[in-house]
Amino acid sequence: MCLHMKLLNIRESHFWTISYVSQCTHISAASISAYEQGRYLPTLANLCILADFYGVSADYLLDRVSTPHGIYPEKAKRQR
């Protein structure tokens, strides 16, 4: 799933408005809307802020891992 869809789905799954996320993260509502529509990519700083706010890893948002907390399959095997 693309970054913009993940951002939209996570926000909507919490029933949060763009305005609420904007107030909590200090990222403009226009920027959040543009990220969710796929018009712009967030800066690295904003990506990290959104990942922390949503309680997921940046790797998850970037579709590098399939679990929200960013555990790589190889690492999970070693931890068992």
Side-chain angles (χ1 to χ4, degrees), residues 7-75:
L7 291 171
L8 176 66
N9 289 339
I10 292 169
R11 182 181 59 76
E12 288 182 340
S13 72
H14 287 93
F15 302 99
W16 292 333
T17 63
I18 288 175
S19 177
Y20 175 75
V21 173
S22 174
Q23 290 172 1
C24 293
T25 61
H26 304 288
I27 299 171
S28 74
S31 291
I32 293 170
S33 177
Y35 301 157
E36 290 182 358
Q37 293 174 18
R39 291 186 294 134
Y40 297 105
L41 291 173
T43 63
L44 180 56
N46 284 353
L47 180 72
C48 291
I49 290 168
L50 289 168
D52 288 345
F53 180 73
Y54 290 140
V56 299
S57 70
D59 282 339
Y60 175 73
L61 291 178
L62 295 171
D63 210 28
R64 295 187 61 206
V65 297
S66 58
T67 60
H69 303 293
I71 298 173
Y72 291 89
E74 313 82 54
K75 188 175 180 181

